[in-house]
Amino acid sequence: MCTIAQTGPDGRDPAEATVSLTINGTACTAFPNETILSCARRHDLYIPTLCELDDIDHTPGTCRVCVVEILQAGKEAPQIVTSCNTPVREGMEVQTRSKRARDMQRLQVELLMADHLQDCATCIRHGNCELQDLAQFVGLTENRFFDRARTEARPIDLSSPAMVRDMTRCVRCQRCVAICRHHQQVDALVMEGTGLDRVVALRDADDYPNSVCVSCGQCVLVCPTGALGERDETDRALDYICDPDLVTVVQFAPAVRVAFGEEFGMPPGTNVEGQIIAACRKIGVDVVLDTNFAADVVIMEEGTELLKRLKEGRRPTFTSCCPAWINFAEIHYPEILPMLSSTKSPQQVLSTIAKTYLPEKLGVDPSRIRVISVMPCVAKKDEAVRPQFVHDGQPETDLVLTTREFARLLRREGIDLKDMEPSTFDVPYMSAYSGAGAIFGTTGGVMEAAVRTIYAVVNGRELDRIELTQLRGFDGIREASVDLGGPVGKVKVAMVHGLGDTRALVESVLRGQADYDFIEVMACPGGCVDGGGSLRSKKAYLPLALKRRETIYNVDRQAKVRQSHNNPQVQALYREFLEAPNSEIAHRLLHTHYQDRRHALEHTVKEIWDDITMSTMVY
């Protein structure tokens, strides 16, 4: 008897595993109606998969790679079945590595490769691709069915400033459709066509600008190949860095320092802030700044704005630092735009100050400044080109690199992060940050940072209990009542992450059923530490979320200053340049407005039925 039978997929007691079967000759027990794949995994028996993704409960059986050979009680001949959606049966004999099963697995991978572009060396997933792994596992040595002309005729969508949708590399696993529809509940992606012409398309749109996509990038995180990815701008970044006439400023987000080291073989959640600074200097970056500093500035602006709204009886106020959330509000719920804080995101705040305040301090012509932003977020690329953030043809943020692009950039420069001697910031104007600025990188952090400062503004003293644990957690929606004292008193706050839960909360607000003063929204589950531009994990959606969050909170605990208003560089910025939070100059430089971009989706009954049946024909 195999002894690794552990808790079931839904947390059931192992004693409930009452179905007896054998897998590769090993006696195993399974839960009633458990799939063969799930049972095999609990017993540490490997079955190759591609389309399946367990932690989003996605088992469509479309790739057919997980085929196994089974012999059921009462049957004379064995059968080939997909293990991801075939339930176990008493007395079943399963062979995952029989000659017939292995031949079928190899054939399925060969068929998958038949209309998959074969230029792996130029793909952004080269060396980190689940399809490549499968080809190696099944021993694929040839591709008899490859049709280059048909493959190259499949669509490539370059219409988004943030993402690329390349159907020449798609394997039709439908993970992207599942995460967008069932988890984020944006429903921007759909399967269209039949047979070899079947592709992932944008629902009711020919390009990204006219779709309901909000550029959250969660579809990119679950894609097993290079079919979905960020728009790569590493060459453009090198052009800036290598131009002697330009002054390149690199800023990196709170989450990047705790969600980057694993790319270079370091333990997940390692804080690599010092190594990032050293690497930037080695490749020729002129000025390295910290987006954490701008997060502290955002708290000063947003907190002051919130207090004013509370005095005026305007509630609730939504945070505005997440660009995918801003897109979601503008496209799906423009009626709530007046409730959004007008404060720019930390990225845009730092870029703005880097092109106004910083040149004065450095004695540099502002026209020579180029700001490169390193973010764990695909939507930041979209944010950087928003018309509100482009002035006289010049953007506030010149270029955004996702964490993945930054890793590629360093590798192109021959840099291995784990070999770098950590360095420190050396620009004494926009690099210091508080612990409050650091926790912006995880869900609930913006709210906690804001409460620390608002309490001090209202009461003239610091909050006694600096860590507001009631605002932390991984539930989709969390709420709390916080006593800010003074004339403000108790305020009701809520934190939501993931657009599925965000949709539910927004609709509750619109119905008048949600009673909140302040609501923090993060489009990505877990917040920025699991943003759509962060490192991808094979066979898993968000496996490193908790380790990254733990390190973020440790950065806060170890900080000498833990409140945004106590950051000495922020104090100097207001004293020397911005005058006061929400002053005329601060409002002109650090605040923005939003635009109604509603896209209404309308479907006939036939279209809905075709979508449900995943085909344009029902047999």
Side-chain angles (χ1 to χ4, degrees):
M1 170 71 71
C2 186
T3 59
I4 308 180
Q6 299 171 353
T7 303
D10 56 359
R12 285 177 290 181
D13 189 320
E16 297 178 26
T18 56
V19 179
S20 297
L21 70 158
T22 64
I23 303 179
N24 297 341
T26 299
C28 302
T29 57
F31 296 91
N33 293 318
E34 184 177 15
T35 65
I36 296 172
L37 178 61
S38 174
C39 178
R41 282 180 173 164
R42 287 192 303 103
H43 291 84
D44 199 25
L45 298 169
Y46 179 70
I47 297 175
T49 62
L50 183 61
C51 66
E52 178 265 354
L53 196 59
D54 181 62
D55 47 8
I56 66 168
D57 194 28
H58 182 62
T59 54
T62 57
C63 72
R64 323 303 287 177
V65 171
C66 66
V67 291
V68 296
E69 190 172 13
I70 66 170
L71 181 62
Q72 299 191 70
K75 300 282 187 178
E76 293 185 2
Q79 301 168 266
I80 291 289
V81 300
T82 48
S83 61
C84 73
N85 54 13
T86 300
V88 297
R89 291 292 182 264
E90 182 68 32
M92 179 182 284
E93 298 175 20
V94 180
Q95 291 292 330
T96 72
R97 307 302 297 131
S98 68
K99 179 69 166 62
R100 187 181 176 200
R102 286 186 288 115
D103 286 347
M104 286 295 294
Q105 290 168 357
R106 184 183 299 114
L107 176 61
Q108 288 303 130
V109 175
E110 189 176 4
L111 290 171
L112 283 170
M113 296 290 286
D115 67 341
H116 186 88
L117 201 60
Q118 307 292 299
D119 62 341
C120 293
T122 65
C123 179
I124 58 171
R125 293 301 298 271
H126 183 50
N128 186 31
C129 172
E130 294 182 38
L131 184 58
Q132 281 184 339
D133 291 348
L134 271 179
Q136 294 278 329
F137 176 82
V138 301
L140 190 65
T141 58
E142 61 180 342
N143 193 341
R144 295 167 291 172
F145 313 117
F146 178 50
D147 185 340
R148 179 173 292 278
R150 173 178 282 276
T151 302
E152 291 180 344
R154 296 174 73 183
I156 300 175
D157 187 351
L158 304 175
S159 62
S160 168
M163 296 188 296
V164 173
R165 183 169 50 91
D166 184 353
M167 293 299 95
T168 68
R169 306 181 192 278
C170 179
V171 291
R172 307 177 182 88
C173 67
Q174 301 171 32
R175 290 183 186 177
C176 57
V177 176
I179 200 73
C180 186
R181 176 178 300 170
H182 302 301
H183 294 262
Q184 292 294 75
Q185 294 184 22
V186 174
D187 206 18
L189 299 174
V190 66
M191 300 299 299
E192 285 186 355
T194 58
L196 292 176
D197 296 323
R198 194 155 180 77
V199 296
V200 175
L202 293 166
R203 182 181 293 281
D204 293 354
D206 295 324
D207 55 26
Y208 277 103
N210 292 301
S211 76
V212 296
C213 174
V214 299
S215 300
C216 70
Q218 296 302 295
C219 57
V220 179
L221 287 185
V222 299
C223 179
T225 66
L228 292 171
E230 64 283 350
R231 180 181 283 276
D232 190 283
E233 297 185 279
T234 52
D235 271 322
R236 190 168 153 226
L238 283 172
D239 288 342
Y240 286 155
I241 294 168
C242 297
D243 189 334
D245 295 326
L246 298 179
V247 177
T248 51
V249 175
V250 165
Q251 60 164 308
F252 60 97
V256 173
R257 72 207 70 214
V258 302
F260 190 55
E262 56 261 33
E263 175 72 12
F264 297 87
M266 303 166 84
T270 301
N271 184 354
V272 292
E273 175 186 302
Q275 289 90 336
I276 290 174
I277 298 169
C280 286
R281 291 211 179 99
K282 186 170 183 179
I283 64 176
V285 172
D286 297 303
V287 180
V288 185
L289 300 177
D290 201 327
T291 314
N292 283 6
F293 166 83
D296 282 334
V297 178
V298 166
I299 288 300
M300 301 299 292
E301 294 296 319
E302 196 167 66
T304 302
E305 182 183 15
L306 174 64
L307 284 176
K308 180 182 178 183
R309 291 189 181 200
L310 288 175
K311 290 177 182 178
E312 295 171 350
R314 296 167 57 192
R315 54 195 300 271
T317 296
F318 286 90
T319 59
S320 57
C321 55
C322 173
W325 151 239
I326 297 300
N327 288 338
F328 183 78
E330 290 185 332
I331 294 171
H332 294 260
Y333 295 99
E335 56 267 44
I336 69 165
L337 294 181
M339 302 179 192
L340 269 60
S341 165
S342 66
T343 306
K344 292 179 181 178
S345 73
Q347 170 180 277
Q348 296 306 128
V349 164
L350 190 136
S351 295
T352 300
I353 300 173
K355 291 189 174 182
T356 52
Y357 174 68
L358 185 63
E360 289 184 7
K361 290 296 184 181
L362 298 181
V364 174
D365 186 340
S367 66
R368 296 178 57 208
I369 298 284
R370 295 294 182 273
V371 179
I372 300 173
S373 174
V374 181
M375 294 283 147
C377 177
V378 172
K380 287 294 180 184
K381 289 176 175 285
D382 182 81
E383 178 182 66
V385 298
R386 284 175 66 90
Q388 295 93 323
F389 301 146
V390 179
H391 312 285
D392 299 323
Q394 297 300 314
E396 296 169 354
T397 304
D398 295 280
L399 178 66
V400 177
L401 297 178
T402 63
T403 309
R404 296 186 292 268
E405 289 169 273
F406 188 51
R408 290 197 292 273
L409 177 62
L410 295 189
R411 292 192 186 283
R412 287 180 63 174
E413 293 294 297
I415 291 176
D416 189 335
L417 206 69
K418 67 177 180 295
D419 296 332
M420 297 298 297
E421 188 69 28
S423 185
T424 57
F425 295 105
D426 60 2
V427 177
Y429 308 112
M430 299 165 54
S431 55
Y433 62 88
S434 72
I439 59 177
F440 257 64
T442 186
T443 176
V446 178
M447 181 67 67
E448 184 171 342
V451 168
R452 294 180 187 180
T453 289
I454 294 172
Y455 183 91
V457 170
V458 172
N459 297 280
R461 59 183 176 85
E462 304 299 344
L463 189 65
D464 293 333
R465 187 178 178 185
I466 195 67
E467 294 187 11
L468 304 176
T469 54
Q470 69 267 37
L471 304 183
R472 302 181 180 185
F474 216 79
D475 299 328
I477 300 175
R478 283 155 288 140
E479 58 182 33
S481 180
V482 181
D483 189 355
L484 293 179
V488 178
K490 286 189 177 181
V491 294
K492 295 179 179 179
V493 299
M495 290 68 64
V496 59
H497 60 129
L499 289 175
D501 286 313
T502 297
R503 183 181 292 277
L505 182 56
V506 168
E507 292 187 352
S508 180
V509 169
L510 293 176
R511 289 193 302 267
Q513 297 174 339
D515 182 26
Y516 301 118
D517 297 291
F518 194 26
I519 301 173
E520 176 199 312
V521 181
M522 290 290 178
C524 297
C528 301
V529 290
D530 299 302
S534 58
L535 302 175
R536 304 200 232 196
S537 300
K538 294 179 183 177
K539 304 294 184 185
Y541 178 33
L542 304 175
L544 305 177
L546 295 181
K547 289 184 179 296
R548 293 169 178 174
R549 284 166 60 86
E550 180 181 351
T551 306
I552 282 275
Y553 286 127
N554 284 336
V555 171
D556 172 38
R557 294 186 187 104
Q558 295 166 10
K560 293 181 180 179
V561 174
R562 301 186 66 183
Q563 303 92 350
S564 297
H565 56 278
N566 288 331
N567 181 337
Q569 290 185 6
V570 170
Q571 293 171 347
L573 173 69
Y574 280 101
R575 184 172 59 249
E576 300 172 3
F577 186 62
L578 293 178
E579 299 174 359
N582 274 217
S583 66
E584 188 279 330
I585 184 174
H587 205 275
R588 175 165 50 84
L589 293 177
L590 306 184
H591 291 252
T592 186
H593 64 277
Y594 308 106
Q595 180 181 352
D596 183 338
R597 296 187 287 147
R598 182 188 295 276
H599 289 293
L601 296 181
E602 298 179 0
H603 308 294
T604 66
V605 172
K606 182 183 183 303
E607 288 171 336
I608 295 172
W609 176 250
D610 288 344
D611 198 20
I612 291 172
T613 58
M614 305 302 285
S615 172
T616 56
M617 292 184 289
V618 180
Y619 296 95

